[in-house]
Amino acid sequence: MTDAVGSIDMPDAEDEAPDSKKKTRKGGKRAKKGPLKRLALFYRQIVAELRKVVWPTRNQLTSYTTAVIIFVVVMIGLITLIDYGLGHVAKYVFG
């Protein structure tokens, strides 16, 4: 029986090497590098991911910002009207 990863009945190539003479460390890949090298790798990975980002153009950014500001103003207006109406209802009910 096979699936997308491989055969269930047969172990992976990585799992077949129990008799290899390599010394394994407890920490895996992390134990091989010092904290400064890991930090440098982390920042390199951040820069690599940021290069993959599709940044909006100035026109897109302006239109997105305008849409957000309009939405926020409309929501503030709706909440203000609801609050004002509920305040008057509370005054009417409780005197």
Side-chain angles (χ1 to χ4, degrees):
M1 177 187 266
T2 61
D3 57 355
V5 177
S7 174
I8 294 175
D9 300 328
M10 297 184 67
D12 293 336
E14 309 171 317
D15 298 336
E16 290 180 3
D19 58 339
S20 67
K21 295 184 180 186
K22 287 184 181 178
K23 274 190 171 181
T24 57
R25 295 183 181 184
K26 288 184 179 180
K29 290 183 181 179
R30 287 188 183 178
K32 295 178 185 176
K33 298 178 182 176
L36 291 178
K37 287 186 179 182
R38 287 193 315 230
L39 190 63
L41 174 65
F42 176 70
Y43 283 117
R44 279 196 308 270
Q45 289 174 343
I46 288 174
V47 170
E49 287 297 320
L50 285 175
R51 286 186 180 150
K52 294 178 188 177
V53 173
V54 178
W55 297 98
T57 63
R58 182 175 287 277
N59 289 337
Q60 290 174 331
L61 189 61
T62 303
S63 64
Y64 297 158
T65 304
T66 304
V68 168
I69 290 173
I70 290 171
F71 177 77
V72 168
V73 168
V74 168
M75 292 307 294
I76 288 172
L78 285 173
I79 292 173
T80 301
L81 287 175
I82 292 170
D83 184 46
Y84 183 74
L86 288 176
H88 275 288
V89 169
K91 276 186 181 178
Y92 179 75
V93 171
F94 297 112

